Amino acid sequence: MSSRSEKMRLLRDDFLELIKESECYLFMCRSDKLQSDRISNIKKFMKRLAEEKAVAIGSCDEGSANELLAYEYMLDAISNELQMYVALKSGSAGVAWSRLVDAQMASCHAVKSHSVAEYLEKIHIPRLIELERLLFPKQIFMSTGMIVDKSECSICGSDYGDCDHIKGHAYMGVLCARIVTKARVREVSFVEYPASKHCRVLSFVGDDGVRRDALSLDEVDEVDEVDEVDEVDEGE
């Protein structure tokens, strides 16, 4: 067995062990300190994955690069779920919602990246959807209707459609996305199934005339309405 193959085997073993250890903390009742420590451990391992993926890319080993991309997304999903629990216990409902949505998105990206993550479709993703139903009130989502005049491929920078890359497919350790660079907004609609669950109504004015947060029901000022979003849903 080559040194490269042996290194990947050891990395897979360590990855699976980290997943197994981390799943023990995916419960609301776990200590937020232990969950925060687990998040730190995941971040350290993510650096190791990034370094190994860079080696795979440098060697033009697309199979390994895409497999490692799936590992990154899988760990990102677990990290975001842990952050959701920590945020809920600190009273940060909006942040907790964003972390749950990020966990759902990362899980879907992992499935698109490599077949090693296919099992998430039957177990992990349905579980995250159920957590959304159990931990949060039903949200009102929005979607923007627009005419796209120009868009680019995130892989090669060409006009999207002029190249052979397909959005949502992994190429050498990166998911392809269609980047809209010029568009005309036509309307904003309320929808049941949005492209992004980050796009939601953040607050409402009740019968008492008080504006309240859509998650916590705390009284809020309109200028304070901010929903934390860290990354764009690439690959969609």
Side-chain angles (χ1 to χ4, degrees):
M1 181 181 293
S2 68
S3 59
R4 169 70 180 157
S5 298
E6 176 65 13
K7 194 171 184 179
M8 277 295 294
R9 186 189 69 78
L10 292 174
L11 185 63
R12 290 189 191 101
D13 290 345
D14 291 344
F15 168 78
L16 292 173
E17 183 64 25
L18 179 61
I19 289 286
K20 183 178 179 181
E21 292 174 354
S22 298
E23 286 177 341
C24 175
Y25 297 89
L26 296 178
F27 298 94
M28 187 71 175
C29 61
R30 299 306 193 205
S31 160
D32 53 355
K33 181 183 181 305
L34 293 178
Q35 289 172 330
S36 295
D37 290 343
R38 180 53 44 179
I39 293 168
S40 296
N41 290 339
I42 289 175
K43 287 182 178 178
K44 291 177 182 178
F45 196 85
M46 293 275 277
K47 291 181 180 179
R48 180 180 170 189
L49 288 177
E51 291 171 356
E52 193 60 33
K53 189 174 75 170
V55 173
I57 293 172
S59 303
C60 295
D61 183 354
E62 187 170 40
S64 294
N66 291 345
E67 180 180 351
L68 292 167
L69 176 65
Y71 290 170
E72 288 177 328
Y73 278 129
M74 291 164 74
L75 286 180
D76 190 45
I78 290 179
S79 176
N80 275 295
E81 184 178 343
L82 289 168
Q83 291 176 64
M84 176 195 71
Y85 294 125
V86 173
L88 280 174
K89 285 182 279 189
S90 69
S92 302
V95 174
W97 172 269
S98 292
R99 296 292 75 78
L100 173 64
V101 173
D102 287 345
Q104 293 173 341
M105 290 163 52
S107 298
C108 292
H109 290 339
V111 173
K112 295 175 183 178
S113 299
H114 194 275
S115 59
V116 71
E118 285 180 349
Y119 78 95
L120 297 180
E121 289 188 292
K122 295 182 179 180
I123 302 174
H124 191 67
I125 294 176
R127 176 177 166 277
L128 289 173
I129 293 174
E130 187 65 8
L131 282 175
E132 176 185 333
R133 186 185 71 82
L134 292 172
L135 296 177
F136 298 92
K138 186 175 178 61
Q139 295 296 285
I140 299 174
F141 300 111
M142 296 175 291
S143 179
T144 302
M146 65 178 67
I147 297 176
V148 176
D149 294 318
K150 186 175 178 57
S151 61
E152 297 178 354
C153 169
S154 65
I155 300 296
C156 65
S158 302
D159 288 344
Y160 187 80
D162 288 350
C163 61
D164 295 329
H165 300 123
I166 302 172
K167 67 176 182 178
H169 287 229
Y171 299 92
M172 200 59 73
V174 180
L175 277 186
C176 177
R178 181 187 183 188
I179 302 174
V180 177
T181 57
K182 185 178 181 181
R184 289 167 284 162
V185 177
R186 298 297 298 270
E187 47 85 21
V188 177
S189 305
F190 294 111
V191 296
E192 185 75 17
Y193 303 104
S196 172
K197 292 178 183 176
H198 285 303
C199 299
R200 64 184 181 88
V201 174
L202 301 181
S203 67
F204 64 91
V205 177
D207 295 337
D208 57 0
V210 176
R211 180 172 293 277
R212 298 187 180 280
D213 183 272
L215 290 169
S216 68
L217 296 184
D218 285 334
E219 184 175 346
V220 296
D221 295 326
E222 190 167 2
V223 294
D224 292 336
E225 293 182 32
V226 177
D227 199 15
E228 182 180 327
V229 181
D230 284 344
E231 64 179 46
V232 177
D233 186 4
E234 63 178 65
E236 285 299 331

